Amino acid sequence: MAKLKGKGTVLQQTISAALTDVAQITDIDISGEGSTDYDSTTLDGGVFETKELTGYSTPGTVKAGLFFDPALAGHVAIVALISTPATCVWKIKYSDSGPSSLTYTSAGVSLDQKVAMKDGLKATLTMNRTGAPTRV
């Protein structure tokens, strides 16, 4: 069983129909993906709540921390997804020799920026995923 290093993992964004590396990424957080259920507890049921599956799954979100450069073409392309909302295909390429990857589509992005003393300009990019991801 291999333990993959974070170093070498790449986030790519589709720009002009080509997957392009997003520069200066510091971390990536993939969360919220899972099957959905509903509360099926009845008034005449036992003490414990019950759940049933809906048959759907939620795609979740991807967050990426980065050193933000407002003049860098790739970062300008991210901001463009906010000012002119559109879906976008993204790919995370892991550091293994394959490389393994996760490809997904975003339907809505946000960009939080932080300016702090004794640090570079940082941002957190949040991508709301839609549809089924592809794992290779």
Side-chain angles (χ1 to χ4, degrees):
M1 174 188 253
K3 293 181 176 67
L4 299 182
K5 294 178 179 158
K7 180 178 172 58
T9 299
V10 176
L11 175 64
Q12 296 181 315
Q13 174 190 9
T14 302
I15 301 174
S16 299
L19 282 166
T20 306
D21 291 358
V22 177
Q24 305 182 154
I25 296 292
T26 58
D27 59 272
I28 300 171
D29 178 25
I30 305 163
S31 63
E33 183 177 330
S35 57
T36 59
D37 58 29
Y38 65 92
D39 184 351
S40 62
T41 307
T42 61
L43 293 174
D44 61 349
V47 144
F48 289 96
E49 293 179 345
T50 58
K51 304 281 184 185
E52 298 291 332
L53 294 172
T54 64
Y56 296 103
S57 293
T58 181
T61 60
V62 174
K63 290 185 179 184
L66 60 142
F67 284 104
F68 183 67
D69 181 349
L72 189 64
H75 294 182
V76 169
I78 291 168
V79 172
L81 291 173
I82 297 168
S83 58
T84 308
T87 59
C88 183
V89 175
W90 302 79
K91 185 175 192 175
I92 298 170
K93 289 174 31 180
Y94 297 101
S95 63
D96 59 340
S97 61
S100 300
S101 64
L102 170 67
T103 303
Y104 60 94
T105 301
S106 67
V109 299
S110 64
L111 187 69
D112 300 317
Q113 299 175 43
K114 182 175 182 178
V115 178
M117 207 158 76
K118 299 183 182 181
D119 202 354
L121 175 57
K122 290 185 177 175
T124 300
L125 169 64
T126 302
M127 297 155 276
N128 296 319
R129 292 169 43 193
T130 183
T134 302
R135 290 183 170 80
V136 178

